Amino acid sequence: MSNLSKLEFVVLDISGKNYLSWVLDAEIHLAAKALKNTIIQGNETSCQDKAKAMIFLRHHLDGGLKTEYLTLKDPFKLWSSLKERYDHLKATILPRARYELIHLRLHIFKTVSEYNSVVFRITSQLKLCGKIVNDEDLLEKTLSTFHESNMVLQQQYREKGLKKYSELISCLLVTEKHNTLLMKNHETRPTGSVPFFEVNMAAATQKSERRQNYYRGRGRGHSRERGQRYGRG
């Protein structure tokens, strides 16, 4: 656990399933440590920087990969070897990500947040493969996959002239929140029913009237008893 806590990002799995994200993380961290030049061909970095970069990269490799590349001491050679070994994965990830984006539909998700999360996962995979999805494409994808019962709402969002996907998602989240509140209110108090406060007031009034009628009846009974006792009536 102590070693895991020192990791700055997830280690590269020997299967290479996380290679694309691992490469991005490694590049960012090496740049932050002023060591990115060590993985560039023909670099003239010092032996000390190369050693630092090598220690860092090996620390974020699966145990099996560490053993396989045990004899490599140059970070550029290690980087190149990993690229040669796993870079072909783009050929399988790219088509799958494209397929998922094509068949993505807003109306099949329960919440806007779930839909947005999937959008970011797919677009991130495409970006790692060198394919950028712009805001215009994401706006059209989202607006064109509204449920048919929300065509009026879709038209209203189109008329807003939104330019950014994030703006549309913000609007949808607000609308979703309001609709959820309305549904909760409806479930708690269906349309046409009397508000809780009025129901409670009516019940209290009826109870009070019954109590008054009860004591009023008791009072008349006692009056008749007193009249008979004293020879009246």
Side-chain angles (χ1 to χ4, degrees):
M1 293 299 292
S2 59
N3 289 334
L4 288 176
S5 64
K6 296 177 182 178
L7 291 173
E8 298 189 53
F9 52 92
V10 179
V11 300
L12 174 58
D13 190 87
I14 195 168
S15 68
K17 62 182 180 180
N18 65 326
Y19 171 71
L20 295 180
S21 58
W22 181 88
V23 165
L24 182 61
D25 286 332
E27 286 181 335
I28 292 172
H29 282 81
L30 286 173
K33 297 175 182 295
L35 297 172
K36 190 173 181 179
N37 287 339
T38 61
I39 57 173
I40 297 176
Q41 187 174 15
N43 70 83
E44 297 180 356
T45 53
S46 66
C47 293
Q48 185 177 13
D49 282 348
K50 288 182 179 180
K52 289 179 180 178
M54 198 65 185
I55 291 171
F56 177 79
L57 290 174
R58 285 182 56 80
H59 186 59
H60 292 85
L61 292 181
D62 177 90
L65 288 174
K66 287 181 181 179
T67 302
E68 289 187 38
Y69 296 105
L70 186 62
T71 58
L72 292 183
K73 297 181 180 180
D74 188 319
F76 171 71
K77 290 183 178 179
L78 175 61
W79 189 263
S80 299
S81 297
L82 293 173
K83 180 179 177 62
E84 183 179 349
R85 178 171 181 163
Y86 295 120
D87 207 44
H88 72 279
L89 293 174
K90 291 181 180 179
T92 57
I93 294 175
L94 181 58
R96 185 173 66 246
R98 282 175 168 168
Y99 177 86
E100 289 182 334
L101 184 61
I102 290 172
H103 293 85
L104 187 65
R105 299 289 183 273
L106 172 63
H107 67 80
I108 67 175
F109 292 88
K110 291 183 179 180
T111 66
V112 175
S113 294
E114 289 179 6
Y115 169 79
N116 193 41
S117 178
V118 172
V119 168
F120 274 110
R121 177 181 61 78
I122 295 174
T123 54
S124 293
Q125 290 178 339
L126 290 171
K127 186 176 181 180
L128 288 171
C129 294
K131 303 298 179 182
I132 306 298
V133 182
N134 58 39
D135 280 300
E136 184 179 354
D137 292 334
L138 291 178
L139 282 168
E140 183 58 31
K141 163 58 67 174
T142 305
L143 290 171
S144 63
T145 58
F146 271 45
H147 191 272
E148 58 183 11
S149 63
N150 291 322
M151 288 300 102
V152 174
L153 185 61
Q154 179 212 78
Q155 187 59 36
Q156 290 175 348
Y157 283 125
R158 287 189 182 278
E159 291 173 355
K160 284 178 178 290
L162 301 175
K163 300 299 182 182
K164 294 183 178 181
Y165 168 74
S166 59
E167 294 175 345
L168 174 59
I169 289 300
S170 295
C171 291
L172 290 176
L173 287 170
V174 172
T175 301
E176 181 183 59
K177 184 176 181 180
H178 288 168
N179 286 345
T180 301
L181 180 60
L182 289 174
M183 287 303 296
K184 286 183 178 179
N185 288 340
H186 176 73
E187 292 168 1
T188 306
R189 191 185 74 205
T191 304
S193 63
V194 181
F196 287 144
F197 178 74
E198 295 179 15
V199 170
N200 292 335
M201 286 297 294
T205 301
Q206 292 176 1
K207 186 175 181 180
S208 177
E209 289 177 351
R210 287 197 299 270
R211 186 182 296 111
Q212 291 176 4
N213 291 335
Y214 172 77
Y215 286 116
R216 191 177 295 118
R218 294 268 298 181
R220 285 196 296 269
H222 285 306
S223 296
R224 285 197 296 273
E225 289 177 3
R226 284 196 298 271
Q228 292 173 359
R229 185 181 304 167
Y230 292 106
R232 289 182 299 188

